[in-house]
Amino acid sequence: TPTSRDMYAKRFQDASKFVFELLSAFGISPVCNVCPGQDGRAGYVLHVCGVNHFKYLAEKLSKDRVRCKDSKELQRQYEHSWTFVLGQVIINYLTGEVRVKRRPSFIGIQVRKAQDLPTIEEWYCVGTQLACPMNDDLQWEHWTDK
């Protein structure tokens, strides 16, 4: 864990830039979920590497360390994840770790009818240029069920 703002900014420069560029490619504008408010003028990378973000995390960490003795659980509280059409990315605002998970995809698939999908009995997120499997835990409710 970085102990000074300069060390923190240096460590998070590449991590936050990677997250920002990956999500931007899918039309997602990341916003910090740990701080009470990210200044929209600064943008995600400048915010994550900035003084206010570091100060807020340092204050929050000093309080959280008292309440949570398990270091792994404490680290999980500082994770922020985004799910996008081809996978998921997680950044840990405490450690600087970035994890990315890719979902299987079928780039260039043309889906005009159900028979065009690669497998049966599986939900797919379908776009103009790609399709990818989705979680099977979708709950569909009809208005008459309420």
Side-chain angles (χ1 to χ4, degrees):
T1 305
T3 54
S4 75
R5 194 203 73 76
D6 290 338
M7 284 176 54
Y8 185 90
K10 186 174 182 177
R11 177 178 288 179
F12 279 81
Q13 183 66 40
D14 291 336
S16 61
K17 186 176 179 189
F18 174 83
V19 168
F20 175 77
E21 289 175 355
L22 175 65
L23 294 173
S24 293
F26 292 95
I28 300 171
S29 298
V31 175
C32 173
N33 74 339
V34 175
C35 294
Q38 173 182 318
D39 184 352
R41 297 169 296 177
Y44 179 74
V45 176
L46 290 176
H47 168 77
V48 169
C49 297
V51 175
N52 291 336
H53 180 79
F54 178 76
K55 191 183 331 181
Y56 182 77
L57 283 182
E59 291 170 7
K60 182 173 171 25
L61 181 59
S62 67
K63 294 173 189 171
D64 290 346
R65 276 191 174 148
V66 173
R67 288 192 301 263
C68 184
K69 299 297 181 194
D70 180 15
S71 64
K72 292 289 183 193
E73 177 60 32
L74 183 65
Q75 286 181 14
R76 278 193 293 277
Q77 292 177 22
Y78 290 82
E79 287 182 349
H80 189 175
S81 69
W82 293 267
T83 301
F84 52 98
V85 71
L86 293 180
Q88 183 177 19
V89 62
I90 300 171
I91 187 171
N92 186 302
Y93 292 127
L94 194 59
T95 64
E97 177 185 48
V98 175
R99 290 179 281 149
V100 180
K101 177 171 65 172
R102 183 172 169 231
R103 291 198 285 190
S105 63
F106 304 95
I107 304 289
I109 191 171
Q110 295 293 320
V111 179
R112 291 181 176 49
K113 54 189 184 286
Q115 294 85 343
D116 294 337
L117 293 171
T119 58
I120 60 172
E121 294 298 319
E122 192 167 348
W123 288 106
Y124 285 85
C125 178
V126 180
T128 56
Q129 296 296 318
L130 59 104
C132 64
M134 293 182 65
N135 293 338
D136 201 28
D137 60 354
L138 292 175
Q139 300 295 322
W140 296 97
E141 288 185 5
H142 192 268
W143 64 273
T144 58
D145 297 337
K146 295 185 181 198

